[in-house]
Amino acid sequence: MVAKALARAPQATGSNRAELDRLAAEFADELSNLGVRVSELEKYADKVVLHGFLRYTYSSARVEQADGHKNKTNTDRIKFRFEPVATVNDHWTLRARIDADSDMKTNEGVTGDFSLVRGWAQGKYNAFAVNVGKMPMQLDDKLLFDSQLSGASVAFGKDLKLTLQAGRWDRGQLNSSLRLAGSTDPINMQSAGLDYKKSKFNIGASYHHLNTDNFKKASYTKSADDDDANVWVAGLGYRFDKNFALGGQYAQNTTADDYKKAYTIQLDYKSAKRTQANTWGLYAAYRYLGNNVAFHPTYGANGGVEAGHKGWEIGAAYAPWKNILFQAKYVNGKVLTTDRDSEKLFGRVEFFF
């Protein structure tokens, strides 16, 4: 009976929630012994499970100008996100992401009303997985592509995993230096990656081919007549113990003439787990993000080093209570094209449900 009640735990509140927590603690060993049966109850308790968050973000970027003064740009935004997951059967689920963004300074929507950012079907069969629809990038989403791909992907294996993906990528997600004025040409994309993860160690390599008229710029290739990108990526990571982890990635676009490499190396100490109160973490990183290969990296979108910049990034995260997370970051770097100073201050608080 407690196992069945736990399967619907998100619906319990007040005294019911307290009583359920007491029973779960009392029968912890028995519930643990139930194992798979409990997870199956949780899986089918509701056909549709809704997750999401409310996020407030503040950032202040300072970039040195030709006359020596620093141009300051502040952002003050709030985002509400829904992420529903619907169970179809033992192997398939339907997933989506629905966002609304608002500028707190102007009190106006940044992206309008709620919009469907992602919507895809996901199938899992032991060591085989497939995604179809407008889905998250399955490879190199942090260093190169913090975005969505409209297409399909397949993955084979567990410790050693081969991932293949193909589809179209929204040209609007390219960093601004690569958007060709007046072009509506989408970005066709095909990728393959091989990853190995075992215990404390992981290593991987991948390849991406992209094709779009947006690459026909002198800032990409001097001839301004090449519409391809051929990007190779290698990554390595190691967790020394429960506190320290070190990882890095390197990418190069063999088609571009300039600003064609990107790399990152990051040291983590502990981590803030939003589901566990009073957990925290720190990190320090150095990133070099050539804008002709780091097309839309996660780091810039989340308050770190931007595409077309290099520099140091330090950050901290703290979860004082369950499902509430605070983050702070500082970036000190330079703009690659001018070698002028670039700084950023960043703060964020998120409420998850």
Side-chain angles (χ1 to χ4, degrees), residues 249-287:
Q249 271 189 300
Y250 177 86
Q252 182 162 337
N253 183 352
T254 59
T255 308
D257 287 332
D258 297 306
Y259 310 111
K260 58 186 179 181
K261 66 181 180 180
Y263 58 85
T264 177
I265 182 168
Q266 180 168 322
L267 177 66
D268 293 287
Y269 177 70
K270 295 188 174 182
S271 63
K273 300 177 177 62
R274 65 176 180 84
T275 57
Q276 296 181 23
N278 202 32
T279 57
W280 57 276
L282 304 171
Y283 77 90
Y286 183 82
R287 315 196 200 280

Side-chain angles (χ1 to χ4, degrees), residues 15-29:
S15 60
N16 290 333
R17 175 77 250 186
E19 180 65 13
L20 186 56
D21 289 342
R22 185 189 67 77
L23 289 170
E26 182 178 348
F27 296 108
D29 292 339

Side-chain angles (χ1 to χ4, degrees), residues 53 79 81-85 94-99 114-122 131-138 141-142 145-151 169 173 296 298 302:
F53 61 71
K79 172 178 284 191
R81 171 174 292 171
F82 292 107
E83 291 188 302
V85 179
L94 301 180
R95 298 174 176 268
R97 172 177 290 182
I98 303 166
D99 285 353
F114 281 100
S115 59
L116 182 67
V117 179
R118 298 174 181 172
W120 79 103
Q122 183 179 77
N131 295 282
V132 181
K134 192 171 184 179
M135 60 187 189
M137 285 284 181
Q138 300 299 296
D141 59 329
K142 290 185 177 181
F145 314 104
D146 181 19
S147 187
Q148 293 70 234
L149 181 71
S150 295
W169 187 39
Q173 298 296 317
H296 191 260
T298 294
N302 285 328

